[in-house]
Amino acid sequence: METTKKVLVIDDDPNIVRIIVKALKGYECRGVSSVEEAFKIVADGFVPRVALVDYMMPKVSGDEFIKRLPLSVCTPILVTAKKLTPEFVAKMMDNGALYVLGKPFSITELRAMVARAFKDSEK
Amino acid sequence: MAKLLIIDDDLSLRGVFETAFKNFEILWAETIDEALKLLKEVAPEVVIIDRYMRGEESGIQMVVEEEVGDAACILLTASRPSPEFRADMLEIGFLYVATKPFSVPEMQAMVNRALSHWRTKKCCSANIKKTTNVISFSPTSLEKLRSASAAFKVAVGG
């Protein structure tokens, strides 16, 4: 039986990981610096319900990760320092991101997005 | 065909929506009363609600008072929303907040994502009801993510 709310944070900037993990008090959060590490942590048994994924990462982009996520299992939120044009946001949503959050982001908005992503999975 | 209800007294947008959402059955309500009737009779999957109807903030009130059923709701607002306002709207029950004038591709992506989110929610809800009131994480979900990761590794040559 699983009752904790698991969130995975994937960002190659350890400061961002630290900030997000701290902001998401009340959730069981794990932070990793690459997509490869993310899959390792999943294989080890930590299966998140929500994933906060940085867009720009070396080797494998957050976008590539999101495209391969089964959305019925894990809801992705894309976080990016890239300028949020309507075309970019549309493309990321079409790829599966529930939300696209620009850096620097509001902690309040981040928490609301994560809460919303969990809320619907509990109904 | 999925149903998209648009609750807005601005008729100039009608053509835009009808062109952009040909893959949806579009329903239009110019007043809250019309909207409540359609919500009850038709149960749309996605609802776009204008923030101000006839000068009142009734769009938000509909969601606060849970009059939209389990439809995925998008708030349409004319002013650029602050992060705090967007957070408040998500907490109230909206899935997205969109600004007028909106980009058609972005609105299309939002509506399509709202629909897929609605469908996933329905599926999860059905699975949860089969077990207990506590969220249980089935082995099947873990396997799905593991096979996704395995498939991904093969695709990138890892």
Side-chain angles (χ1 to χ4, degrees):
Chain A
M1 277 314 176
E2 183 60 63
T3 56
T4 53
K5 295 182 180 180
K6 293 183 174 172
V7 179
L8 182 60
V9 183
I10 311 168
D11 198 311
D12 60 334
D13 182 343
N15 293 320
I16 296 291
V17 173
R18 216 172 3 250
I19 289 168
I20 293 176
V21 169
K22 195 172 176 186
L24 294 179
K25 264 186 195 167
Y27 294 91
E28 188 183 341
C29 257
R30 298 270 179 97
V32 295
S33 60
S34 69
V35 168
E36 294 90 338
E37 275 185 62
F39 281 125
K40 187 179 183 303
I41 216 173
V42 166
D44 288 344
F46 182 84
V47 184
R49 187 65 190 90
V50 173
L52 287 153
V53 190
D54 183 31
Y55 176 69
M56 291 283 275
M57 284 191 289
K59 278 178 115 180
V60 183
S61 73
D63 183 37
E64 285 303 311
F65 174 77
I66 285 172
K67 280 184 204 170
R68 284 156 179 82
L69 269 184
L71 299 180
S72 59
V73 172
C74 180
T75 301
I77 296 172
L78 189 78
V79 185
T80 179
K82 206 172 143 65
K83 187 175 156 78
L84 293 188
T85 62
E87 294 71 30
F88 176 78
V89 172
K91 188 177 174 209
M92 294 302 112
M93 281 187 162
D94 284 343
N95 288 343
L98 183 63
Y99 297 113
V100 182
L101 186 61
K103 292 178 186 175
F105 48 79
S106 145
I107 297 290
T108 307
E109 193 173 8
L110 173 80
R111 284 191 61 90
M113 285 177 171
V114 171
R116 190 72 174 84
F118 272 102
K119 190 176 171 183
D120 286 342
S121 67
E122 289 165 9
K123 284 185 183 169
Chain B
M1 208 185 240
K3 293 177 280 295
L4 170 64
L5 171 62
I6 299 153
I7 307 171
D8 196 334
D9 54 1
D10 180 359
L11 296 181
S12 68
L13 291 176
R14 209 160 197 163
V16 172
F17 278 108
E18 281 172 6
T19 306
F21 296 103
K22 287 196 165 88
N23 54 329
F24 281 83
E25 181 190 342
I26 296 183
L27 306 139
W28 199 280
E30 292 174 55
T31 67
I32 297 298
D33 287 341
E34 274 178 40
L36 291 172
K37 192 167 179 282
L38 283 169
L39 282 160
K40 199 174 171 181
E41 287 172 4
V42 175
E45 288 88 339
V46 182
V47 181
I48 297 175
I49 306 177
D50 189 37
R51 181 176 176 182
Y52 291 103
M53 298 271 289
R54 306 274 189 257
E56 297 173 9
E57 216 168 30
S58 41
I60 295 175
Q61 211 52 37
M62 282 191 74
V63 173
V64 169
E65 289 172 8
E66 297 181 356
E67 289 170 330
V68 291
D70 59 1
C73 295
I74 299 169
L75 182 70
L76 205 49
T77 178
S79 52
R80 190 176 165 80
S82 67
E84 291 70 32
F85 178 80
R86 281 199 294 264
D88 285 344
M89 293 303 105
L90 292 189
E91 205 172 325
I92 283 169
F94 288 98
L95 190 58
Y96 297 116
V97 178
T99 316
K100 285 183 189 180
F102 51 79
S103 142
V104 171
E106 191 174 1
M107 182 59 80
Q108 285 172 322
M110 236 179 242
V111 169
N112 287 328
R113 191 63 183 89
L115 178 62
S116 75
H117 187 71
W118 182 91
R119 285 177 172 156
T120 303
K121 187 176 77 171
K122 278 286 183 192
C123 180
C124 284
S125 158
N127 286 338
I128 285 167
K129 277 177 183 164
K130 285 179 196 167
T131 56
T132 64
N133 287 333
V134 173
I135 298 168
S136 66
F137 203 90
S138 72
T140 314
S141 305
L142 180 58
E143 283 310 311
K144 274 186 192 170
L145 207 47
R146 279 182 173 153
S147 31
S149 88
F152 176 72
K153 281 180 183 168
V154 168
V156 297

